[in-house]
Amino acid sequence: MAYETLLYEVQNGIATITLNRPDVLNAFNEQMFRELQDVLRAVERDEAVRVAIVTGAGRGFCAGQDLAEMQARYERPEETMSIGEHLRSRYNPLILRIRNTEKPFIAAINGVAAGAGCSLALACDLRVMAETASFVFNAFAKIALIPDSGSTWFLPHLAGYARAFEAATLIDRLDASRALAWGLVNAVVPPDQVMPTAQEWAARLRELPARAVGFLKRALNRALTFTLEQSLDYEAYLQEMAARTPDHRERVEAFLRRRG
Ligand code: LHQ
């Protein structure tokens, strides 16, 4: 299927989603929401897909909400959808689908990420960032809003409260080296190494047993709000299922054969 605002390709188990509105640094518009929902559903359902990479075309990763489209909406007298509803119906399902799909998502942050573009990157399981890229979390504050699409949750979980507050207010461009030091990304590489690094990680993730990786993602996500007791219990529940997969038995046997 051809998309207007995205490029989507699946190769050897790796889906690559490229946000493709480079003239506006890949800002989200209505069309992009529809298309993203569609490809995220495909990633979730297509058994041939083991890992997904999200990146941006051109010099940006994603500049968040398309402000021109938002302004046009504000000026339409017949428009009834509130911003709260807009978030609930457009952004929140995207973020939740990335988190709830039991397949790894890698953000290949090729350039600037602003506003909800930062949230999209933080929703992924791994992030590789270009040395030249940056996060602009205070884009929200600059238009008199608060971080949304999960950023008020992701930021303090990843970087701690004080850094979250600083990022959302005082920092105009949170550069890649600070993003790495703060734990917001897993690696910083030269711009031409962003996609190769993401692809290399994806190829390694693809080789791991899919069910186990999916259960890991579930367990880590739940752990963020669980007590230790709850996590221990949930681990036991998921491990029971993981241990019943043929992959588990085969891999244990293979390990012992190699040693025997
Ligand atoms: C853009 C955008 C953009 C349209 C660059 N829209 N055109 C959810 C729900 C409801 C309400 C609101 O919010 C949300 C979530 C959000 O995401 S709110 C935050 C929205 N995003 C922003 O406020 C970011 C606005 N953009 C910027 O601050 C800068 O463009 C950044 C810092 C991202 C990059 O700066 P530069 O590298 O200097 O690039 P630029 O500003 O020259 O932008 C390049 C072009 O992209 C330019 O168009 P032009 O025709 O002049 O070349 C911009 O107008 C356009 N663009 N972001 N969000």
Side-chain angles (χ1 to χ4, degrees), residues 22-25 27-28 59 63-68 70 74 83 86-87 91 112-117 136 139-140 143 145 148-149 172-173:
D23 294 349
V24 288
L25 306 176
F28 293 112
R59 73 175 178 88
Q65 170 67 37
D66 184 317
L67 294 178
M70 199 173 80
Y74 288 152
I83 289 299
H86 184 59
L87 284 171
Y91 288 88
V112 64
V136 186
F140 294 103
I143 55 169
L145 295 178
D148 60 28
S149 314
D172 288 332
R173 295 268 183 163

PDB file of all heavy atoms in Angstrom, residues 22-25 27-28 59 63-68 70 74 83 86-87 91 112-117 136 139-140 143 145 148-149 172-173, ligand 1:
ATOM      1  N   PRO A  22       9.339  15.882   4.850  1.00  0.00           N
ATOM      2  CA  PRO A  22      10.609  16.538   5.196  1.00  0.00           C
ATOM      3  C   PRO A  22      10.536  18.063   5.189  1.00  0.00           C
ATOM      4  O   PRO A  22      11.269  18.706   5.944  1.00  0.00           O
ATOM      5  CB  PRO A  22      11.597  16.018   4.141  1.00  0.00           C
ATOM      6  CG  PRO A  22      10.762  15.439   3.055  1.00  0.00           C
ATOM      7  CD  PRO A  22       9.474  15.006   3.663  1.00  0.00           C
ATOM      8  N   ASP A  23       9.634  18.649   4.391  1.00  0.00           N
ATOM      9  CA  ASP A  23       9.558  20.123   4.325  1.00  0.00           C
ATOM     10  C   ASP A  23       9.144  20.735   5.657  1.00  0.00           C
ATOM     11  O   ASP A  23       9.430  21.897   5.932  1.00  0.00           O
ATOM     12  CB  ASP A  23       8.532  20.575   3.267  1.00  0.00           C
ATOM     13  CG  ASP A  23       8.989  20.202   1.880  1.00  0.00           C
ATOM     14  OD1 ASP A  23      10.162  19.801   1.740  1.00  0.00           O
ATOM     15  OD2 ASP A  23       8.158  20.283   0.956  1.00  0.00           O
ATOM     16  N   VAL A  24       8.452  19.960   6.479  1.00  0.00           N
ATOM     17  CA  VAL A  24       8.026  20.468   7.794  1.00  0.00           C
ATOM     18  C   VAL A  24       8.646  19.606   8.905  1.00  0.00           C
ATOM     19  O   VAL A  24       8.070  19.443   9.974  1.00  0.00           O
ATOM     20  CB  VAL A  24       6.483  20.535   7.920  1.00  0.00           C
ATOM     21  CG1 VAL A  24       5.915  21.655   7.075  1.00  0.00           C
ATOM     22  CG2 VAL A  24       5.833  19.198   7.556  1.00  0.00           C
ATOM     23  N   LEU A  25       9.822  19.094   8.613  1.00  0.00           N
ATOM     24  CA  LEU A  25      10.551  18.255   9.580  1.00  0.00           C
ATOM     25  C   LEU A  25       9.669  17.120  10.116  1.00  0.00           C
ATOM     26  O   LEU A  25       9.707  16.783  11.291  1.00  0.00           O
ATOM     27  CB  LEU A  25      11.115  19.114  10.727  1.00  0.00           C
ATOM     28  CG  LEU A  25      11.991  20.310  10.294  1.00  0.00           C
ATOM     29  CD1 LEU A  25      12.412  21.145  11.513  1.00  0.00           C
ATOM     30  CD2 LEU A  25      13.225  19.837   9.533  1.00  0.00           C
ATOM     31  N   ALA A  27       6.478  16.848  10.689  1.00  0.00           N
ATOM     32  CA  ALA A  27       5.438  17.135  11.694  1.00  0.00           C
ATOM     33  C   ALA A  27       4.209  16.251  11.432  1.00  0.00           C
ATOM     34  O   ALA A  27       3.921  15.882  10.293  1.00  0.00           O
ATOM     35  CB  ALA A  27       5.056  18.610  11.634  1.00  0.00           C
ATOM     36  N   PHE A  28       3.491  15.942  12.508  1.00  0.00           N
ATOM     37  CA  PHE A  28       2.294  15.089  12.404  1.00  0.00           C
ATOM     38  C   PHE A  28       1.113  15.881  11.855  1.00  0.00           C
ATOM     39  O   PHE A  28       0.726  16.906  12.435  1.00  0.00           O
ATOM     40  CB  PHE A  28       1.833  14.622  13.785  1.00  0.00           C
ATOM     41  CG  PHE A  28       2.755  13.686  14.502  1.00  0.00           C
ATOM     42  CD1 PHE A  28       3.426  14.094  15.651  1.00  0.00           C
ATOM     43  CD2 PHE A  28       2.930  12.382  14.069  1.00  0.00           C
ATOM     44  CE1 PHE A  28       4.253  13.221  16.352  1.00  0.00           C
ATOM     45  CE2 PHE A  28       3.757  11.501  14.764  1.00  0.00           C
ATOM     46  CZ  PHE A  28       4.419  11.919  15.905  1.00  0.00           C
ATOM     47  N   ARG A  59      16.176  16.227   7.049  1.00  0.00           N
ATOM     48  CA  ARG A  59      17.068  16.606   8.148  1.00  0.00           C
ATOM     49  C   ARG A  59      16.420  16.539   9.533  1.00  0.00           C
ATOM     50  O   ARG A  59      17.075  16.780  10.531  1.00  0.00           O
ATOM     51  CB  ARG A  59      17.661  17.994   7.902  1.00  0.00           C
ATOM     52  CG  ARG A  59      16.703  19.158   8.073  1.00  0.00           C
ATOM     53  CD  ARG A  59      17.444  20.481   7.924  1.00  0.00           C
ATOM     54  NE  ARG A  59      16.529  21.608   8.045  1.00  0.00           N
ATOM     55  CZ  ARG A  59      16.198  22.185   9.203  1.00  0.00           C
ATOM     56  NH1 ARG A  59      16.713  21.747  10.325  1.00  0.00           N
ATOM     57  NH2 ARG A  59      15.351  23.210   9.224  1.00  0.00           N
ATOM     58  N   ALA A  63       8.925  16.962  14.068  1.00  0.00           N
ATOM     59  CA  ALA A  63       8.765  18.256  14.760  1.00  0.00           C
ATOM     60  C   ALA A  63       7.470  18.331  15.562  1.00  0.00           C
ATOM     61  O   ALA A  63       7.017  19.428  15.905  1.00  0.00           O
ATOM     62  CB  ALA A  63       8.844  19.393  13.750  1.00  0.00           C
ATOM     63  N   GLY A  64       6.853  17.175  15.858  1.00  0.00           N
ATOM     64  CA  GLY A  64       5.627  17.196  16.667  1.00  0.00           C
ATOM     65  C   GLY A  64       4.418  17.599  15.839  1.00  0.00           C
ATOM     66  O   GLY A  64       4.396  17.449  14.605  1.00  0.00           O
ATOM     67  N   GLN A  65       3.428  18.097  16.541  1.00  0.00           N
ATOM     68  CA  GLN A  65       2.176  18.501  15.881  1.00  0.00           C
ATOM     69  C   GLN A  65       2.448  19.501  14.756  1.00  0.00           C
ATOM     70  O   GLN A  65       3.214  20.453  14.947  1.00  0.00           O
ATOM     71  CB  GLN A  65       1.253  19.136  16.921  1.00  0.00           C
ATOM     72  CG  GLN A  65       0.030  19.823  16.381  1.00  0.00           C
ATOM     73  CD  GLN A  65      -0.965  18.858  15.742  1.00  0.00           C
ATOM     74  OE1 GLN A  65      -1.167  17.748  16.208  1.00  0.00           O
ATOM     75  NE2 GLN A  65      -1.597  19.286  14.654  1.00  0.00           N
ATOM     76  N   ASP A  66       1.798  19.303  13.607  1.00  0.00           N
ATOM     77  CA  ASP A  66       1.876  20.302  12.534  1.00  0.00           C
ATOM     78  C   ASP A  66       1.088  21.529  13.006  1.00  0.00           C
ATOM     79  O   ASP A  66      -0.139  21.496  13.123  1.00  0.00           O
ATOM     80  CB  ASP A  66       1.267  19.721  11.250  1.00  0.00           C
ATOM     81  CG  ASP A  66       1.420  20.676  10.075  1.00  0.00           C
ATOM     82  OD1 ASP A  66       1.191  21.901  10.258  1.00  0.00           O
ATOM     83  OD2 ASP A  66       1.757  20.208   8.972  1.00  0.00           O
ATOM     84  N   LEU A  67       1.842  22.600  13.265  1.00  0.00           N
ATOM     85  CA  LEU A  67       1.204  23.776  13.872  1.00  0.00           C
ATOM     86  C   LEU A  67       0.326  24.526  12.882  1.00  0.00           C
ATOM     87  O   LEU A  67      -0.656  25.153  13.288  1.00  0.00           O
ATOM     88  CB  LEU A  67       2.274  24.699  14.463  1.00  0.00           C
ATOM     89  CG  LEU A  67       3.053  24.096  15.655  1.00  0.00           C
ATOM     90  CD1 LEU A  67       4.119  25.070  16.135  1.00  0.00           C
ATOM     91  CD2 LEU A  67       2.130  23.721  16.806  1.00  0.00           C
ATOM     92  N   ALA A  68       0.660  24.422  11.598  1.00  0.00           N
ATOM     93  CA  ALA A  68      -0.193  25.089  10.601  1.00  0.00           C
ATOM     94  C   ALA A  68      -1.558  24.405  10.553  1.00  0.00           C
ATOM     95  O   ALA A  68      -2.606  25.071  10.494  1.00  0.00           O
ATOM     96  CB  ALA A  68       0.486  25.058   9.236  1.00  0.00           C
ATOM     97  N   MET A  70      -2.885  22.769  13.002  1.00  0.00           N
ATOM     98  CA  MET A  70      -3.578  23.056  14.264  1.00  0.00           C
ATOM     99  C   MET A  70      -4.206  24.445  14.230  1.00  0.00           C
ATOM    100  O   MET A  70      -5.338  24.655  14.669  1.00  0.00           O
ATOM    101  CB  MET A  70      -2.585  22.942  15.419  1.00  0.00           C
ATOM    102  CG  MET A  70      -3.248  22.763  16.746  1.00  0.00           C
ATOM    103  SD  MET A  70      -2.034  22.427  18.024  1.00  0.00           S
ATOM    104  CE  MET A  70      -1.445  24.057  18.334  1.00  0.00           C
ATOM    105  N   TYR A  74      -8.054  25.737  14.707  1.00  0.00           N
ATOM    106  CA  TYR A  74      -8.512  26.765  15.652  1.00  0.00           C
ATOM    107  C   TYR A  74      -9.381  27.808  14.945  1.00  0.00           C
ATOM    108  O   TYR A  74     -10.272  28.399  15.542  1.00  0.00           O
ATOM    109  CB  TYR A  74      -7.322  27.469  16.306  1.00  0.00           C
ATOM    110  CG  TYR A  74      -6.558  26.641  17.324  1.00  0.00           C
ATOM    111  CD1 TYR A  74      -5.208  26.869  17.574  1.00  0.00           C
ATOM    112  CD2 TYR A  74      -7.183  25.629  18.050  1.00  0.00           C
ATOM    113  CE1 TYR A  74      -4.497  26.110  18.503  1.00  0.00           C
ATOM    114  CE2 TYR A  74      -6.484  24.868  18.979  1.00  0.00           C
ATOM    115  CZ  TYR A  74      -5.150  25.107  19.195  1.00  0.00           C
ATOM    116  OH  TYR A  74      -4.463  24.359  20.102  1.00  0.00           O
ATOM    117  N   ILE A  83      -8.561  19.832  22.121  1.00  0.00           N
ATOM    118  CA  ILE A  83      -7.184  19.319  22.082  1.00  0.00           C
ATOM    119  C   ILE A  83      -7.075  18.028  22.903  1.00  0.00           C
ATOM    120  O   ILE A  83      -6.375  17.093  22.523  1.00  0.00           O
ATOM    121  CB  ILE A  83      -6.203  20.395  22.600  1.00  0.00           C
ATOM    122  CG1 ILE A  83      -6.104  21.531  21.577  1.00  0.00           C
ATOM    123  CG2 ILE A  83      -4.823  19.820  22.877  1.00  0.00           C
ATOM    124  CD1 ILE A  83      -5.594  21.107  20.208  1.00  0.00           C
ATOM    125  N   HIS A  86      -8.258  15.409  20.718  1.00  0.00           N
ATOM    126  CA  HIS A  86      -7.259  15.208  19.662  1.00  0.00           C
ATOM    127  C   HIS A  86      -6.150  14.289  20.185  1.00  0.00           C
ATOM    128  O   HIS A  86      -5.742  13.339  19.516  1.00  0.00           O
ATOM    129  CB  HIS A  86      -6.690  16.585  19.263  1.00  0.00           C
ATOM    130  CG  HIS A  86      -5.714  16.560  18.129  1.00  0.00           C
ATOM    131  ND1 HIS A  86      -6.015  16.087  16.877  1.00  0.00           N
ATOM    132  CD2 HIS A  86      -4.417  16.960  18.066  1.00  0.00           C
ATOM    133  CE1 HIS A  86      -4.946  16.198  16.090  1.00  0.00           C
ATOM    134  NE2 HIS A  86      -3.961  16.724  16.797  1.00  0.00           N
ATOM    135  N   LEU A  87      -5.670  14.571  21.389  1.00  0.00           N
ATOM    136  CA  LEU A  87      -4.626  13.722  21.974  1.00  0.00           C
ATOM    137  C   LEU A  87      -5.143  12.305  22.192  1.00  0.00           C
ATOM    138  O   LEU A  87      -4.477  11.326  21.844  1.00  0.00           O
ATOM    139  CB  LEU A  87      -4.146  14.297  23.311  1.00  0.00           C
ATOM    140  CG  LEU A  87      -3.223  15.512  23.202  1.00  0.00           C
ATOM    141  CD1 LEU A  87      -2.992  16.129  24.569  1.00  0.00           C
ATOM    142  CD2 LEU A  87      -1.878  15.111  22.578  1.00  0.00           C
ATOM    143  N   TYR A  91      -2.791  10.896  19.203  1.00  0.00           N
ATOM    144  CA  TYR A  91      -1.448  10.617  19.741  1.00  0.00           C
ATOM    145  C   TYR A  91      -1.436   9.423  20.688  1.00  0.00           C
ATOM    146  O   TYR A  91      -0.570   8.548  20.598  1.00  0.00           O
ATOM    147  CB  TYR A  91      -0.905  11.844  20.495  1.00  0.00           C
ATOM    148  CG  TYR A  91      -0.504  12.979  19.584  1.00  0.00           C
ATOM    149  CD1 TYR A  91      -1.424  13.939  19.199  1.00  0.00           C
ATOM    150  CD2 TYR A  91       0.794  13.085  19.108  1.00  0.00           C
ATOM    151  CE1 TYR A  91      -1.067  14.987  18.358  1.00  0.00           C
ATOM    152  CE2 TYR A  91       1.166  14.127  18.274  1.00  0.00           C
ATOM    153  CZ  TYR A  91       0.229  15.073  17.908  1.00  0.00           C
ATOM    154  OH  TYR A  91       0.598  16.087  17.073  1.00  0.00           O
ATOM    155  N   VAL A 112      16.471  16.640  14.266  1.00  0.00           N
ATOM    156  CA  VAL A 112      15.766  17.234  15.414  1.00  0.00           C
ATOM    157  C   VAL A 112      14.418  16.541  15.691  1.00  0.00           C
ATOM    158  O   VAL A 112      13.695  16.159  14.760  1.00  0.00           O
ATOM    159  CB  VAL A 112      15.585  18.758  15.183  1.00  0.00           C
ATOM    160  CG1 VAL A 112      14.688  19.045  13.984  1.00  0.00           C
ATOM    161  CG2 VAL A 112      15.066  19.453  16.428  1.00  0.00           C
ATOM    162  N   ALA A 113      14.139  16.385  16.980  1.00  0.00           N
ATOM    163  CA  ALA A 113      12.831  15.894  17.428  1.00  0.00           C
ATOM    164  C   ALA A 113      12.268  16.964  18.354  1.00  0.00           C
ATOM    165  O   ALA A 113      12.950  17.396  19.291  1.00  0.00           O
ATOM    166  CB  ALA A 113      12.977  14.577  18.188  1.00  0.00           C
ATOM    167  N   ALA A 114      11.041  17.409  18.089  1.00  0.00           N
ATOM    168  CA  ALA A 114      10.448  18.459  18.930  1.00  0.00           C
ATOM    169  C   ALA A 114       9.045  18.042  19.353  1.00  0.00           C
ATOM    170  O   ALA A 114       8.358  17.291  18.637  1.00  0.00           O
ATOM    171  CB  ALA A 114      10.386  19.778  18.160  1.00  0.00           C
ATOM    172  N   GLY A 115       8.616  18.549  20.516  1.00  0.00           N
ATOM    173  CA  GLY A 115       7.267  18.284  20.978  1.00  0.00           C
ATOM    174  C   GLY A 115       6.947  16.802  20.975  1.00  0.00           C
ATOM    175  O   GLY A 115       7.741  15.981  21.452  1.00  0.00           O
ATOM    176  N   ALA A 116       5.803  16.468  20.397  1.00  0.00           N
ATOM    177  CA  ALA A 116       5.388  15.067  20.383  1.00  0.00           C
ATOM    178  C   ALA A 116       6.343  14.190  19.566  1.00  0.00           C
ATOM    179  O   ALA A 116       6.292  12.959  19.679  1.00  0.00           O
ATOM    180  CB  ALA A 116       3.965  14.947  19.849  1.00  0.00           C
ATOM    181  N   GLY A 117       7.204  14.797  18.774  1.00  0.00           N
ATOM    182  CA  GLY A 117       8.247  14.026  18.078  1.00  0.00           C
ATOM    183  C   GLY A 117       9.220  13.425  19.084  1.00  0.00           C
ATOM    184  O   GLY A 117       9.725  12.311  18.896  1.00  0.00           O
ATOM    185  N   VAL A 136      13.905  18.802  21.408  1.00  0.00           N
ATOM    186  CA  VAL A 136      13.382  20.106  21.816  1.00  0.00           C
ATOM    187  C   VAL A 136      12.100  19.852  22.615  1.00  0.00           C
ATOM    188  O   VAL A 136      10.988  19.904  22.092  1.00  0.00           O
ATOM    189  CB  VAL A 136      13.116  21.007  20.579  1.00  0.00           C
ATOM    190  CG1 VAL A 136      12.705  22.418  21.031  1.00  0.00           C
ATOM    191  CG2 VAL A 136      14.335  21.075  19.680  1.00  0.00           C
ATOM    192  N   ALA A 139       9.607  22.854  23.268  1.00  0.00           N
ATOM    193  CA  ALA A 139       8.710  23.350  22.216  1.00  0.00           C
ATOM    194  C   ALA A 139       7.291  23.477  22.775  1.00  0.00           C
ATOM    195  O   ALA A 139       6.541  24.390  22.403  1.00  0.00           O
ATOM    196  CB  ALA A 139       8.718  22.399  21.023  1.00  0.00           C
ATOM    197  N   PHE A 140       6.922  22.570  23.666  1.00  0.00           N
ATOM    198  CA  PHE A 140       5.576  22.621  24.254  1.00  0.00           C
ATOM    199  C   PHE A 140       5.403  23.919  25.049  1.00  0.00           C
ATOM    200  O   PHE A 140       4.444  24.652  24.870  1.00  0.00           O
ATOM    201  CB  PHE A 140       5.363  21.437  25.206  1.00  0.00           C
ATOM    202  CG  PHE A 140       5.353  20.073  24.589  1.00  0.00           C
ATOM    203  CD1 PHE A 140       6.452  19.227  24.700  1.00  0.00           C
ATOM    204  CD2 PHE A 140       4.223  19.600  23.934  1.00  0.00           C
ATOM    205  CE1 PHE A 140       6.419  17.936  24.177  1.00  0.00           C
ATOM    206  CE2 PHE A 140       4.175  18.316  23.404  1.00  0.00           C
ATOM    207  CZ  PHE A 140       5.293  17.482  23.524  1.00  0.00           C
ATOM    208  N   ILE A 143       4.860  27.148  23.263  1.00  0.00           N
ATOM    209  CA  ILE A 143       3.517  27.483  22.770  1.00  0.00           C
ATOM    210  C   ILE A 143       2.494  27.329  23.909  1.00  0.00           C
ATOM    211  O   ILE A 143       1.325  27.035  23.676  1.00  0.00           O
ATOM    212  CB  ILE A 143       3.119  26.677  21.506  1.00  0.00           C
ATOM    213  CG1 ILE A 143       3.237  25.167  21.733  1.00  0.00           C
ATOM    214  CG2 ILE A 143       3.948  27.101  20.311  1.00  0.00           C
ATOM    215  CD1 ILE A 143       2.603  24.330  20.624  1.00  0.00           C
ATOM    216  N   LEU A 145       2.015  25.135  26.255  1.00  0.00           N
ATOM    217  CA  LEU A 145       1.402  23.825  26.535  1.00  0.00           C
ATOM    218  C   LEU A 145       2.319  23.038  27.456  1.00  0.00           C
ATOM    219  O   LEU A 145       3.430  23.479  27.760  1.00  0.00           O
ATOM    220  CB  LEU A 145       1.198  23.055  25.222  1.00  0.00           C
ATOM    221  CG  LEU A 145       0.214  23.637  24.219  1.00  0.00           C
ATOM    222  CD1 LEU A 145       0.188  22.767  22.952  1.00  0.00           C
ATOM    223  CD2 LEU A 145      -1.198  23.726  24.797  1.00  0.00           C
ATOM    224  N   ASP A 148       3.265  16.353  26.105  1.00  0.00           N
ATOM    225  CA  ASP A 148       2.164  15.382  26.032  1.00  0.00           C
ATOM    226  C   ASP A 148       2.610  14.136  25.287  1.00  0.00           C
ATOM    227  O   ASP A 148       3.800  13.932  25.057  1.00  0.00           O
ATOM    228  CB  ASP A 148       0.914  16.034  25.389  1.00  0.00           C
ATOM    229  CG  ASP A 148       1.157  16.540  23.969  1.00  0.00           C
ATOM    230  OD1 ASP A 148       2.024  15.986  23.267  1.00  0.00           O
ATOM    231  OD2 ASP A 148       0.477  17.501  23.559  1.00  0.00           O
ATOM    232  N   SER A 149       1.661  13.307  24.917  1.00  0.00           N
ATOM    233  CA  SER A 149       1.945  12.043  24.220  1.00  0.00           C
ATOM    234  C   SER A 149       2.931  11.191  24.997  1.00  0.00           C
ATOM    235  O   SER A 149       3.744  10.471  24.421  1.00  0.00           O
ATOM    236  CB  SER A 149       2.491  12.302  22.807  1.00  0.00           C
ATOM    237  OG  SER A 149       1.731  13.273  22.163  1.00  0.00           O
ATOM    238  N   ASP A 172      16.765  24.772  25.247  1.00  0.00           N
ATOM    239  CA  ASP A 172      16.242  25.002  23.899  1.00  0.00           C
ATOM    240  C   ASP A 172      16.579  23.844  22.956  1.00  0.00           C
ATOM    241  O   ASP A 172      15.760  23.458  22.128  1.00  0.00           O
ATOM    242  CB  ASP A 172      16.797  26.305  23.336  1.00  0.00           C
ATOM    243  CG  ASP A 172      16.174  27.503  24.043  1.00  0.00           C
ATOM    244  OD1 ASP A 172      15.022  27.383  24.517  1.00  0.00           O
ATOM    245  OD2 ASP A 172      16.851  28.547  24.148  1.00  0.00           O
ATOM    246  N   ARG A 173      17.810  23.355  23.075  1.00  0.00           N
ATOM    247  CA  ARG A 173      18.207  22.208  22.251  1.00  0.00           C
ATOM    248  C   ARG A 173      18.948  21.231  23.145  1.00  0.00           C
ATOM    249  O   ARG A 173      20.064  21.541  23.574  1.00  0.00           O
ATOM    250  CB  ARG A 173      19.165  22.633  21.130  1.00  0.00           C
ATOM    251  CG  ARG A 173      18.565  23.551  20.093  1.00  0.00           C
ATOM    252  CD  ARG A 173      18.001  22.757  18.925  1.00  0.00           C
ATOM    253  NE  ARG A 173      17.497  23.689  17.927  1.00  0.00           N
ATOM    254  CZ  ARG A 173      17.242  23.377  16.673  1.00  0.00           C
ATOM    255  NH1 ARG A 173      17.444  22.155  16.244  1.00  0.00           N
ATOM    256  NH2 ARG A 173      16.769  24.273  15.844  1.00  0.00           N
TER     257      ARG A 173
HETATM  258  C1  LHQ B   1       6.863  23.104  11.047  1.00  0.00           C
HETATM  259  C2  LHQ B   1       6.899  22.547  12.338  1.00  0.00           C
HETATM  260  C3  LHQ B   1       5.676  22.178  12.949  1.00  0.00           C
HETATM  261  C4  LHQ B   1       4.584  22.935  11.041  1.00  0.00           C
HETATM  262  C5  LHQ B   1       8.902  22.959  11.740  1.00  0.00           C
HETATM  263  N1  LHQ B   1       4.550  22.401  12.259  1.00  0.00           N
HETATM  264  N2  LHQ B   1       5.713  23.296  10.411  1.00  0.00           N
HETATM  265  C6  LHQ B   1      -0.435  17.822  20.424  1.00  0.00           C
HETATM  266  C7  LHQ B   1      -1.783  18.105  20.322  1.00  0.00           C
HETATM  267  C8  LHQ B   1      -2.320  19.328  20.251  1.00  0.00           C
HETATM  268  C9  LHQ B   1      -1.784  20.437  20.348  1.00  0.00           C
HETATM  269  C10 LHQ B   1      -0.475  20.710  20.286  1.00  0.00           C
HETATM  270  O1  LHQ B   1       0.518  19.876  20.485  1.00  0.00           O
HETATM  271  C11 LHQ B   1       0.610  18.610  20.465  1.00  0.00           C
HETATM  272  C12 LHQ B   1       1.923  18.066  20.536  1.00  0.00           C
HETATM  273  C13 LHQ B   1       3.087  18.886  20.025  1.00  0.00           C
HETATM  274  O2  LHQ B   1       3.900  18.337  19.358  1.00  0.00           O
HETATM  275  S1  LHQ B   1       3.208  20.527  20.460  1.00  0.00           S
HETATM  276  C14 LHQ B   1       4.755  21.020  19.778  1.00  0.00           C
HETATM  277  C15 LHQ B   1       4.651  21.289  18.319  1.00  0.00           C
HETATM  278  N3  LHQ B   1       5.957  21.482  17.730  1.00  0.00           N
HETATM  279  C16 LHQ B   1       6.628  22.614  17.850  1.00  0.00           C
HETATM  280  O3  LHQ B   1       6.219  23.566  18.477  1.00  0.00           O
HETATM  281  C17 LHQ B   1       7.951  22.676  17.122  1.00  0.00           C
HETATM  282  C18 LHQ B   1       7.973  23.808  16.148  1.00  0.00           C
HETATM  283  N4  LHQ B   1       9.216  23.810  15.399  1.00  0.00           N
HETATM  284  C19 LHQ B   1      10.348  24.328  15.881  1.00  0.00           C
HETATM  285  O4  LHQ B   1      10.409  24.810  16.991  1.00  0.00           O
HETATM  286  C20 LHQ B   1      11.535  24.294  14.978  1.00  0.00           C
HETATM  287  O5  LHQ B   1      11.101  24.124  13.660  1.00  0.00           O
HETATM  288  C21 LHQ B   1      12.543  23.171  15.331  1.00  0.00           C
HETATM  289  C22 LHQ B   1      13.218  23.504  16.675  1.00  0.00           C
HETATM  290  C23 LHQ B   1      11.871  21.810  15.411  1.00  0.00           C
HETATM  291  C24 LHQ B   1      13.623  23.086  14.231  1.00  0.00           C
HETATM  292  O6  LHQ B   1      14.157  24.374  13.995  1.00  0.00           O
HETATM  293  P1  LHQ B   1      15.017  24.648  12.675  1.00  0.00           P
HETATM  294  O7  LHQ B   1      16.004  23.563  12.514  1.00  0.00           O
HETATM  295  O8  LHQ B   1      15.502  26.046  12.783  1.00  0.00           O
HETATM  296  O9  LHQ B   1      13.985  24.498  11.469  1.00  0.00           O
HETATM  297  P2  LHQ B   1      12.835  25.530  11.004  1.00  0.00           P
HETATM  298  O10 LHQ B   1      12.163  26.122  12.184  1.00  0.00           O
HETATM  299  O11 LHQ B   1      13.412  26.444   9.979  1.00  0.00           O
HETATM  300  O12 LHQ B   1      11.793  24.521  10.321  1.00  0.00           O
HETATM  301  C25 LHQ B   1      11.944  24.046   8.978  1.00  0.00           C
HETATM  302  C26 LHQ B   1      10.593  24.106   8.321  1.00  0.00           C
HETATM  303  O13 LHQ B   1       9.714  23.206   8.999  1.00  0.00           O
HETATM  304  C27 LHQ B   1       9.966  25.490   8.425  1.00  0.00           C
HETATM  305  O14 LHQ B   1       9.213  25.703   7.269  1.00  0.00           O
HETATM  306  P3  LHQ B   1       9.779  26.691   6.091  1.00  0.00           P
HETATM  307  O15 LHQ B   1       8.699  26.719   5.086  1.00  0.00           O
HETATM  308  O16 LHQ B   1      10.059  28.013   6.758  1.00  0.00           O
HETATM  309  O17 LHQ B   1      11.058  26.033   5.609  1.00  0.00           O
HETATM  310  C28 LHQ B   1       9.036  25.338   9.603  1.00  0.00           C
HETATM  311  O18 LHQ B   1       7.945  26.201   9.579  1.00  0.00           O
HETATM  312  C29 LHQ B   1       8.572  23.905   9.452  1.00  0.00           C
HETATM  313  N5  LHQ B   1       8.135  23.334  10.719  1.00  0.00           N
HETATM  314  N6  LHQ B   1       8.174  22.485  12.729  1.00  0.00           N
HETATM  315  N7  LHQ B   1       5.634  21.627  14.162  1.00  0.00           N
END
